[in-house]
Amino acid sequence: MTERLFVYGTLRRGSRHPWAAKLAASATCLGEARYNGRLYRITHYPGVVPSTQPDELVYGDVFELRDPEILAALDAYEGCSPDDAEPTQYLRKLQQMTLADGAVVEAWMYVYNWSLENRERIKSGRFDEVES
């Protein structure tokens, strides 16, 4: 089974975050994709929750992982490793994404798991368009 990861914030292509570079070195980017969800600004990083509304989309990149072991390191970065206290801020879940060419793929993604009260919703679905 091919391991894929959908990223929508600090891990996207073009990000200057050190973990974005680590991901890029361990994976091949398949391109931009969209996910049926709602995007929120948490602080200097985003969080996503699933949506059933067809017009609520989050945009990000799908990577095919050459080294699936990077997922354990990313779990620690995202605060959802087995060593992190429950409830973790994110949960890594398999979700369906739609690639730019219309193909639907399954990919891991980090779903936000804490309260969204008083968090700004990013209706464009693109965190890279929001000023920090």
Side-chain angles (χ1 to χ4, degrees):
M1 177 178 151
T2 300
E3 297 278 5
R4 295 184 190 95
L5 178 69
F6 175 77
V7 295
Y8 52 85
T10 59
L11 298 176
R12 285 200 74 181
R13 286 180 299 166
S15 171
R16 291 186 297 234
H17 195 282
W19 274 102
K22 289 178 186 181
L23 175 60
S26 301
T28 302
C29 186
L30 299 180
E32 189 172 74
R34 63 186 183 276
Y35 170 73
N36 192 206
R38 288 181 174 198
L39 181 66
Y40 291 87
R41 175 194 288 277
I42 305 305
T43 57
H44 62 283
Y45 58 89
V48 168
V49 294
S51 174
T52 58
Q53 300 301 311
D55 61 336
E56 293 180 338
L57 299 172
V58 175
Y59 298 89
D61 299 314
V62 172
F63 286 87
E64 187 171 301
L65 305 177
R66 291 190 302 270
D67 179 9
E69 291 183 18
I70 193 171
L71 286 173
L74 288 171
D75 287 352
Y77 166 69
E78 298 288 359
C80 64
S81 73
D83 297 330
D84 291 302
E86 297 282 339
T88 58
Q89 186 174 22
Y90 291 91
L91 299 172
R92 180 166 47 90
K93 295 184 167 191
L94 278 172
Q95 302 288 294
Q96 286 194 336
M97 315 294 152
T98 304
L99 297 173
D101 67 4
V104 176
V105 298
E106 196 169 65
W108 290 109
M109 72 173 282
Y110 292 96
V111 176
Y112 196 70
N113 192 40
W114 287 354
S115 171
L116 290 166
E117 187 174 346
N118 299 321
R119 301 292 182 197
E120 172 193 356
R121 171 125 182 264
I122 303 168
K123 292 185 180 179
S124 71
R126 294 182 181 277
F127 187 71
D128 54 351
E129 293 179 357
V130 177
E131 291 185 31
S132 300

